[in-house]
């Protein structure tokens, strides 16, 4: 875990705790005596810390946060206190990332040097925490308070050169960073530079009396405590303490706030999201599969999705050919691509040269034959089985036999599409979300014949596109849209019962969604919902003719200036939903016609329960059926694809947070009060009855290779 080497009076301590040299309790327990020995040793003048595995360190071991540290436990705080108390000079030699607790360890050192590629960051806020080993006290003594707040609140990854310019680093080196650190230790001649002995720095021109104003401004800039800002407000309090209190009291304040946060619900949820995201690719058999190299890709259809997917390939450095037979569509696609890259250049995110290169790597054609040597082709034509089968038959005959053929269908059966080819093992779904080049989520859909090699290839491509890739089984709507149908069904039912759409949306926004279900309908298109209702009237549509009437009125949503809301180009961005009482009247009229009793007095909390419990119940059914591999996979789909508030961890985590038993009993109440559409899923019932939760439910991850579903998921809950 730790290696030490002496070099001419300098002791080099190398952290070697793969994969990211996390400063776990165990590692700290080993590190502490080494520091104490160096401090007491006459032969040692200085200590250099460095890291193996291409990284300095990813900070504290997040797994340790679930363990209450006992009196014997050694943590980063103890290590840092030992360095602070030592009379020797400490130099940190950073190559790669220095994150969280590792950045804090760097700050207690007297000198900091790094290679050019290194980055320093405090990512704690993303885990619902604050830097809890002195970071909130030392950083504002190195850069000014405002800068320190920015760095910590936004989890900025500071590149080495910027860190040097800000005075966070003392040197950047091209060559061997450890050799340079040893040389620096010698040059320092034993001069200690403790940040704890300095005062916190106020921004230029800010007098001490203005601090309360600065602090209150900072509090206003972050979300309210209950809407994702829980840790942010505490972080600001800790930084305020760095200015107002002597170092040791400020430090004690920080420790207290951290210890509170580490046990808080939002932090538990965010840590779940962190690990769930990293578990996504842990799919039985996948590690042994061999992903194909995708050197060239194809996309069929240059519409909304095809254009976005082509951009994803170009951004990943994979040249792509788009087959689009309609000239006007090609023109529109080219304009979209040009506009998007021009915007990126304007915002300084891409150089002109890079943007040009990416734009050039997208080529349009009307000829399928040009796809012959593609390694992967993603189809994004109209949502029609006949059209898709025709396209796949054609692709099968022109594209090389080793290539993988993927469909971006939102709802259609992958097996039926695969059956149109002679290579069903190389056919799967790659379901991007609109806008494809912006949304992080990618669902990879496994058909009954899809090979693990094909799945591994899709995951590797997703990674090169920087997507968060989730495996789903082959079922109507896959994971995300299948659950969404139950969610929006409940919203429609409430509107039919007399609750105005704006009230429902406000309740869901209050819970933490960026927009409510009706604003979402208006964004994705009421016409799209209408089309889905034609295919599956049993799912997602209400009991009345409201969707049909809106469709007939061409109230398709934002794109036609009206849907469930009105939109006015002269108001704000033009995309702000404006309450439209005519839609409320329409609901009332149609509800009366359908004989639906009105219950307009539903509390916000009940709205949230009806919508989120519908998601939970649908999610549990997907686990039961083996469509989703793990509860965490569902949570990631909802956090990244649908804006479920990450500080509630996703629907399945939220079920645990609310108590599965409680969710189950509420669903039984809904069944009583609202009707038989509310049927608790078998898995939900079982977990509730045994007093368990989804996080610890033993969902078997047995073989996936012989199943038409994603996996054997849940077998062992029975
Ligand atoms: N603790 C525990 N495990 C960690 C970890 C950490 N801090 N950081 C990464 N890991 C694990 C991941 O879970 C993953 O494990 P797996 O292979 O079993 O799935 C493995 O390391 C590799 O992680 P990634 O897949 O994310 O690898 P990348 O190379 O893409 O990224 C990274 C590496 C940049 C270090 C990224 O993992 C990261 O950002 N980690 C989070 C760092 C963080 O939040 N640190 C702050 C911790 S809190 C703290 O320090 C508190 C202190 O103030 C007291
Ligand atoms: P679109 O209507 O914008 O684009 C479809 C394009 O395919 C058109 O440009 C059309 O000319 C072209 N096309 C039709 N037949 C073709 C053929 N035989 N060969 C080549 N090109 C052909 O449709 P959109 O919205 O891009 O949807 C495409 C697919 O993506 C559908 O399956 C849809 O369900 C799915 N999808 C759509 C999402 C969305 O939000 N729009 C989100 C996720 C998936």
């Amino acid at each position: 875990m730790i290696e030490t080497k002496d070099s001419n009076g300098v002791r080099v301590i190398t952290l070697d705790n793969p994969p990211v040299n996390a400063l776990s309790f165990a590692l700290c327990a080993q590190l502490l005596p080494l520091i104490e020995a160096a401090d007491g040793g006459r032969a040692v003048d200085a200590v250099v810390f460095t890291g193996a595995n291409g990284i300095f360190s990813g900070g504290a071991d997040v797994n340790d946060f679930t363990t209450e540290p006992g009196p014997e436990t050694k943590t980063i705080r103890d290590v840092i206190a030992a360095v602070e108390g030592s009379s020797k000079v400490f130099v940190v030699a950073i190559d790669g990332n220095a994150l969280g607790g590792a950045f804090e360890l760097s700050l207690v050192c007297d000198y900091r040097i790094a290679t050019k590629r290194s980055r320093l960051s405090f990512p704690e806020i993303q885990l619902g925490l604050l830097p809890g080993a002195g970071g909130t006290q030392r950083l504002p003594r190195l850069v000014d308070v405002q800068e320190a707040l920015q760095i910590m609140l936004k989890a900025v990854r500071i590149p080495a050169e910027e860190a040097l310019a800000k005075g966070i680093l003392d040197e950047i080196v091209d060559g061997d960073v450890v050799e340079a650190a040893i040389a620096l230790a010698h040059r320092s001649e034993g001069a200690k530079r403790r940040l704890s002995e300095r005062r916190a720095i106020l921004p230029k021109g800010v007098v001490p009396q203005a601090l309360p104003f600065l602090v209150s401004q900072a509090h206003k800039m972050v979300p309210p405590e209950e809407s994702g800002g829980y840790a942010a407000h505490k972080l600001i309090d800790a930084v305020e303490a760095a200015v107002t209190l002597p170092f040791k009291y400020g430090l004690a304040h920080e420790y207290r706030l951290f210890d509170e946060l580490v046990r808080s619900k939002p932090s538990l949820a965010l840590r779940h999201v962190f690990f769930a995201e990293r578990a996504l690719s842990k799919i039985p058999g996948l590690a042994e599969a061999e992903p194909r190299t995708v050197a060239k890709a194809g996309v069929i259809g240059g519409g909304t999705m095809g254009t976005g997917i082509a951009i994803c390939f170009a951004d990943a450095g994979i040249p792509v050919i788009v087959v689009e037979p309609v000239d006007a569509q090609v023109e529109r696609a080219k304009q979209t691509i040009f506009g998007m890259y021009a915007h990126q250049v304007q915002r300084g995110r891409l150089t002109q040269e890079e943007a040009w290169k990416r734009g050039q790597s997208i080529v349009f054609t009307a000829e399928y034959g040009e796809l012959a040597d593609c390694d992967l082709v993603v189809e994004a034509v109209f949502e029609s089985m006949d059209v898709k089968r025709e396209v796949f038959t054609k692709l099968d005959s022109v594209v090389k036999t080793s290539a993988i053929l993927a469909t971006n269908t939102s709802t259609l059966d992958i097996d039926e599409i695969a059956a149109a080819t002679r290579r069903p093992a190389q056919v799967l779904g790659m379901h991007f979300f609109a806008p494809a080049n912006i949304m992080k989520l990618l669902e990879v859909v496994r058909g009954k014949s899809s090979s693990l090699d094909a799945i591994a290839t899709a995951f590797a491509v997703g990674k090169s596109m920087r997507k968060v890739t989730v495996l789903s089984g082959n079922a109507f709507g896959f994971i995300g849209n299948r659950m969404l149908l139950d969610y929006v069904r409940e919203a429609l039912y409430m509107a039919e019962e007399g609750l105005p759409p704006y009230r429902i949306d406000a309740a869901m926004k209050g819970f933490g969604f960026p927009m409510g279900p009706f604003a979402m309908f208006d964004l994705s298109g009421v016409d799209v919902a209408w089309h889905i209702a034609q295919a599956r009237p049993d799912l997602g549509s209400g009991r009345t003719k409201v969707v049909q009437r809106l469709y007939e009125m061409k109230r398709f949503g934002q794109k036609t200036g009206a849907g469930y809301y009105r939109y006015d180009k002269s108001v704000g961005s033009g995309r702000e939903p404006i309450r439209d009482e005519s839609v409320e009247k329409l609901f009332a009229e149609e509800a009366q016609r359908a004989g639906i009793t009105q219950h307009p007095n539903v509390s916000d909390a009940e709205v949230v329960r009806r919508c989120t419990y519908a998601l939970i119940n649908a999610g549990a059914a997907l686990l039961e059926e083996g469509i989703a591999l793990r509860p965490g996979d569902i949570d990631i789909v909802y956090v990244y694809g649908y804006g479920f508030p990450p500080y509630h961890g996703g629907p399945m985590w939220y079920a645990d947070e609310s108590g599965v038993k409680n969710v189950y009993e509420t669903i039984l109440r809904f069944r009583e009060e609202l009707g038989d559409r509310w049927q608790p899923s078998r898995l939900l019932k079982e977990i509730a009855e045994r007093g368990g939760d989804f996080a610890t439910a033993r969902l078997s991850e047995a073989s996936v290779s012989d199943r038409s579903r994603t996996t054997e998921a849940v077998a062992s809950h029975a």
Side-chain angles (χ1 to χ4, degrees):
M1 254 187 189
I2 298 174
E3 215 180 274
T4 57
K5 208 167 125 189
D6 285 353
S7 169
N8 206 7
V10 178
R11 179 156 298 168
V12 178
I13 299 183
T14 306
L15 311 179
D16 187 358
N17 184 20
V20 300
N21 306 330
L23 295 158
S24 60
F25 291 166
L27 185 125
C28 291
Q30 284 188 24
L31 196 49
L32 203 56
L34 295 176
I35 295 166
E36 285 161 1
D39 192 37
R42 284 221 207 121
V44 179
D45 301 321
V47 176
V48 169
F49 287 126
T50 192
N53 310 308
I55 181 169
F56 175 53
S57 163
D61 188 329
V62 182
N63 295 295
D64 285 344
F65 294 158
T66 43
T67 321
E68 281 294 327
E72 298 305 311
T73 309
K74 299 298 173 219
T75 72
I76 310 179
R77 289 176 183 170
D78 300 305
V79 169
I80 287 177
V83 174
E84 176 86 14
S86 168
S87 57
K88 306 284 156 123
V89 160
F90 284 76
V91 183
V92 64
I94 301 169
D95 180 33
N97 279 303
L99 308 180
F103 192 174
E104 292 173 299
L105 178 60
S106 311
L107 289 178
V108 76
C109 290
D110 304 283
Y111 302 89
R112 291 165 287 279
I113 73 172
T115 55
K116 219 175 182 164
R117 72 177 191 107
S118 301
R119 279 164 187 261
L120 296 96
S121 176
F122 281 117
E124 284 87 342
I125 196 80
Q126 293 167 339
L127 301 174
L129 299 169
L130 49 78
T136 66
Q137 304 305 298
R138 288 192 176 87
L139 190 62
R141 289 171 158 85
L142 190 56
V143 300
D144 76 53
V145 170
Q146 204 149 18
E147 178 107 53
L149 272 175
Q150 289 281 330
I151 290 171
M152 292 188 275
L153 285 172
K154 294 192 173 158
V156 183
R157 294 253 152 132
I158 316 166
E161 289 195 354
E162 211 177 300
L164 180 71
K166 289 183 196 301
I168 297 172
L169 289 176
D170 297 296
E171 252 180 56
I172 293 187
V173 289
D174 271 338
D176 187 328
V177 72
V178 174
E179 285 305 319
I182 294 170
L184 177 59
H186 286 307
R187 279 203 310 280
S188 75
E189 294 175 341
K192 296 283 295 173
R193 300 194 309 177
R194 289 190 182 95
L195 285 172
S196 57
E197 289 167 359
R198 297 190 197 168
R199 278 174 176 278
I201 306 166
L202 287 177
K204 258 204 190 96
V206 172
V207 291
Q209 292 82 342
L211 181 72
F213 175 72
L214 201 132
V215 168
S216 80
Q217 286 301 100
H219 281 293
K220 281 188 197 142
M221 300 287 283
V222 298
E225 283 208 355
E226 65 286 2
S227 308
Y230 192 63
H233 290 283
K234 296 214 170 354
L235 199 160
I236 297 166
D237 290 347
V239 171
E240 184 182 12
V243 187
T244 55
L245 299 178
F247 182 82
K248 78 171 183 182
Y249 295 114
L251 194 64
H253 191 58
E254 177 204 89
Y255 284 6
R256 217 170 26 250
L257 293 172
F258 179 93
D259 294 349
E260 220 175 285
L261 285 175
V262 88
R263 298 181 189 105
S264 70
K265 282 185 180 175
S267 176
L268 284 165
L270 289 162
R271 275 142 50 195
H272 158 69
V273 170
F274 175 83
F275 285 118
E277 191 179 329
R278 280 156 184 84
L280 292 174
S281 59
K282 295 186 174 106
I283 294 163
L286 204 68
E288 294 80 49
E290 281 185 23
R292 311 263 157 86
T293 304
V294 177
K296 190 174 172 189
V299 169
I300 312 293
T304 310
M305 294 307 290
T307 306
I309 297 167
I311 294 171
C312 293
F313 278 118
D315 287 349
I318 301 171
V320 55
I321 300 181
V322 183
V323 177
E324 171 56 63
V326 180
D327 289 347
Q329 284 290 89
V330 172
E331 267 328 293
R332 198 172 304 155
K334 283 184 176 170
Q335 272 174 24
T336 305
I337 294 165
F338 177 82
M340 192 276 308
Y341 281 129
H343 181 71
Q344 300 271 45
V345 172
Q346 227 172 30
R347 301 294 297 264
R349 292 190 198 132
L350 278 184
T351 61
Q352 188 88 39
E353 196 188 353
E354 182 58 26
W356 188 83
K357 206 172 106 193
R358 292 188 193 184
Q360 289 300 304
S361 69
I362 305 174
V363 175
F364 287 85
T365 180
E367 302 301 327
Y368 276 68
E370 293 190 30
L371 301 175
D373 61 344
C374 286
D375 304 294
L376 167 69
V377 179
V378 182
E379 163 278 315
V381 302
F382 305 130
E383 186 75 343
S384 144
M385 183 53 87
D386 291 344
V387 180
K388 299 223 190 246
R389 280 182 62 94
E390 198 186 310
V391 167
F392 271 76
T393 307
K394 226 185 276 181
L395 284 175
D396 194 38
S397 66
V398 299
V399 186
K400 65 181 178 190
T401 50
S402 60
I404 288 161
L405 307 179
T407 170
N408 183 47
T409 179
S410 314
T411 53
L412 300 175
D413 181 0
I414 307 292
D415 295 335
E416 207 177 326
I417 295 173
T421 72
R422 285 158 299 173
R423 58 178 101 180
Q426 283 146 256
V427 177
L428 42 65
M430 283 179 79
H431 183 224
F432 292 80
F433 287 69
N437 53 311
I438 309 270
M439 293 293 286
K440 295 269 291 174
L441 184 65
L442 171 65
E443 280 178 328
V444 168
V445 187
R446 179 188 178 107
K448 71 169 183 237
S449 311
S450 311
S451 69
L452 281 165
D453 288 355
I455 292 169
T457 308
F459 266 74
V461 168
K463 190 168 184 189
S464 69
M465 290 176 172
R466 295 168 178 268
K467 299 286 181 204
V468 172
T469 310
V470 181
L471 184 66
S472 169
N474 179 24
F476 187 85
F478 315 127
I479 296 177
N481 285 340
R482 167 67 192 84
M483 289 169 63
L484 187 73
L485 290 169
D486 283 12
Y487 169 80
V488 297
R489 175 207 66 200
E490 217 40 46
L492 273 171
Y493 272 47
M494 281 188 277
E496 289 170 349
E497 287 155 16
L499 198 62
Y502 84 93
R503 273 271 335 269
I504 298 167
D505 278 7
M508 296 318 289
K509 276 180 80 170
F511 175 71
F513 276 93
M515 66 176 80
F518 291 97
M520 190 184 64
F521 272 130
D522 277 359
L523 180 66
S524 60
V526 176
D527 50 329
V528 175
W530 181 84
H531 278 291
I532 294 175
Q534 304 313 298
R536 291 289 300 262
D538 55 320
L539 293 172
S541 54
R543 295 155 289 181
T544 64
K545 295 214 171 325
V546 169
V547 177
Q548 176 71 27
R549 295 269 308 271
L550 290 173
Y551 181 77
E552 285 161 6
M553 287 187 267
K554 296 214 172 345
R555 289 187 71 125
F556 295 165
Q558 281 191 21
K559 58 187 161 193
T560 55
Y564 287 99
Y565 294 96
R566 279 191 305 111
Y567 297 89
D568 185 340
K569 284 206 167 73
S570 60
V571 177
S573 65
R575 291 193 295 265
E576 301 300 315
I578 302 165
R579 180 181 174 186
D580 190 338
E581 288 176 36
S582 74
V583 173
E584 290 161 32
K585 276 204 197 103
L586 181 67
F587 268 112
E589 256 172 56
E590 290 298 332
Q592 196 183 17
R593 208 164 281 159
I596 296 168
T597 318
Q598 299 291 283
H599 300 288
N601 298 322
V602 180
S603 70
D604 283 1
E606 185 79 341
V607 171
V608 169
R609 274 192 291 271
R610 279 177 67 174
C611 289
T612 54
Y613 291 9
L615 281 177
I616 293 167
N617 200 33
L622 290 180
L623 287 167
E624 193 181 301
E625 292 160 23
I627 301 300
L629 183 53
R630 285 163 289 236
D633 288 24
I634 294 177
D635 289 336
I636 292 296
V637 167
Y638 263 79
V639 166
Y640 283 103
Y642 300 86
F644 196 100
Y647 50 88
H648 284 305
M652 308 321 284
W653 183 265
Y654 183 59
D656 290 354
E657 198 180 287
S658 311
V660 175
K661 189 161 177 283
N662 183 28
V663 173
Y664 171 66
E665 283 168 0
T666 308
I667 289 178
L668 293 183
R669 170 170 70 80
F670 287 163
R671 187 171 67 184
E672 273 301 286
E673 294 172 4
L674 304 167
D676 281 350
R677 69 174 184 280
W678 279 101
Q679 289 298 344
S681 94
R682 190 165 59 91
L683 179 63
L684 185 79
K685 179 172 186 282
E686 283 177 12
I687 295 180
E689 283 176 350
R690 93 168 102 86
D693 56 28
F694 283 100
T696 53
R698 279 193 319 112
L699 305 181
S700 150
E701 288 177 9
S703 160
V704 295
S705 57
D706 56 351
R707 293 270 307 213
S708 59
R709 309 279 194 199
T710 311
T711 157
E712 290 274 343
V714 244
S716 69
H717 72 269

